[in-house]
Amino acid sequence: MEFIRITNIADPLFAAMHKLMGEVFPPEEVLAFDLWKEPLEDPGIRVFVAVHEGEVVGTTEYRYYPDFNVAMTDFTIVGRPGLGIGPFLWRERQRDLDALAYSFGQKLDGMFAEIYDPYKAGDHDFGGLMTMNPYVRREVLSHMGYKRIDMAYVHPSWQNDGEAVEELDLGFLPYNGRDEVDAALVAKFLRRYYAVLPNKPGAWEEMVASLDQKDKVALLPL
C-alpha cells in the first residue's frame, strides 16, 4: 500500500478521493470540489491517500500548528475492510507529524479531532461502510487515547451557509495523558481553523467566546 500526498486538484487521485468523501460523509461535511484548489496547494495542509493496487481505498487530511505544537486531524476514511487501512494511515500520519514537530525543535503535544456522536449521527450510514460507523470510529479513537473536550460543541457548516452542525464532539489526544487542556489553546485553535469560513453561526461565536472566560477545560472519556 502507498501513502501518497495530493497537492493539485488536477491529480486523478484527488477526483477519486473526493468521490469517496461524497459517498461517506454528509454534504455539509464535504468542501465542494473546486474549492479544494487552494487547500491542496497550502503547504500547511497535508492531504494523503492510501492507494492499493491503483485504487484509492482510504484518505486522511491533517495539519500541524507549530506555534501551538498541536495537530488537527481533519478527516480519515477507511474505504475497505480487511486491508489494514486504518492502522496504515495512522502510522504514516504519525510518522509525518513527528517529523514535522521535530523540524521545529519540538515533540508533538497533542492532536484535535472532530468526532461524531453516534447518538446524534446514528441516522447517517456513512456510505454503508461499517469501518466508518460512528460507534466503531468512536471506540477506535477512544482506544487511541482521544478524549472529549467538556463543551457543547457546534461547528460551522462547510457549505458556508452559516448553519451550525451539532453532530460532533471536539476531541483531543493528549500525548502526556493529562485530563484537561488550556481553554485559550482551544479557542485560538478554533478561530484559526475556521477562519476560512466567513459565515459562522451565532452559536459557534458564543461557544468560542465562552472559552475566553475559562482557564482550563476538562478532557472526558469518549
Side-chain angles (χ1 to χ4, degrees):
M1 198 175 301
E2 298 176 274
F3 190 63
I4 301 175
R5 187 176 183 186
I6 299 176
T7 58
N8 192 315
I9 198 172
D11 188 331
L13 292 176
F14 173 68
M17 185 200 91
H18 197 267
K19 180 176 182 293
L20 181 61
M21 290 181 65
E23 293 170 351
V24 171
F25 292 137
E28 65 271 14
E29 294 295 322
V30 181
L31 192 64
F33 188 99
D34 292 343
L35 297 181
W36 276 89
K37 184 179 185 301
E38 290 188 10
L40 289 176
E41 295 172 355
D42 186 334
I45 299 177
R46 307 181 77 78
V47 180
F48 284 83
V49 290
V51 179
H52 176 69
E53 296 180 348
E55 178 187 356
V56 172
V57 294
T59 179
T60 186
E61 176 185 307
Y62 54 95
R63 59 195 79 193
Y64 174 64
Y65 298 89
D67 52 338
F68 299 157
N69 191 30
V70 297
M72 168 64 175
T73 302
D74 298 328
F75 61 82
T76 298
I77 296 177
V78 176
R80 284 171 56 183
L83 294 177
I85 298 166
F88 172 78
L89 290 173
W90 166 258
R91 182 175 62 251
E92 296 299 323
R93 180 178 64 211
Q94 194 63 47
R95 182 180 294 137
D96 186 43
L97 284 170
D98 286 341
L100 282 169
Y102 182 79
S103 72
F104 285 93
Q106 302 183 116
K107 183 176 180 181
L108 189 63
D109 184 58
M111 191 184 313
F112 287 99
E114 292 176 331
I115 302 169
Y116 276 95
D117 181 337
Y119 299 99
K120 295 178 181 177
D123 60 342
H124 186 71
D125 67 0
F126 292 86
L129 287 170
M130 288 306 296
T131 54
M132 296 300 294
N133 180 283
Y135 291 94
V136 174
R137 294 167 65 197
R138 198 174 181 93
E139 284 304 309
V140 168
L141 290 167
S142 178
H143 277 75
M144 289 165 54
Y146 273 95
K147 299 180 181 181
R148 177 175 62 86
I149 297 176
D150 187 17
M151 58 191 290
Y153 186 64
V154 299
H155 79 73
S157 167
W158 284 101
Q159 292 179 314
N160 198 29
D161 54 11
E163 293 297 315
V165 179
E166 301 178 344
E167 296 182 343
L168 302 100
D169 292 316
L170 184 60
F172 187 73
L173 171 61
Y175 283 94
N176 64 358
R178 63 190 183 276
D179 57 9
E180 61 182 14
V181 62
D182 289 344
L185 171 64
V186 180
K188 289 175 184 177
F189 160 73
L190 288 171
R191 288 188 173 110
R192 184 177 302 179
Y193 187 67
Y194 282 108
V196 68
L197 295 177
N199 298 321
K200 300 181 183 67
W204 183 89
E205 299 284 3
E206 293 173 9
M207 176 192 73
V208 177
S210 70
L211 290 168
D212 294 330
Q213 310 305 314
K214 301 176 181 178
D215 180 36
K216 303 283 186 179
V217 186
L219 295 174
L220 305 176
L222 283 176

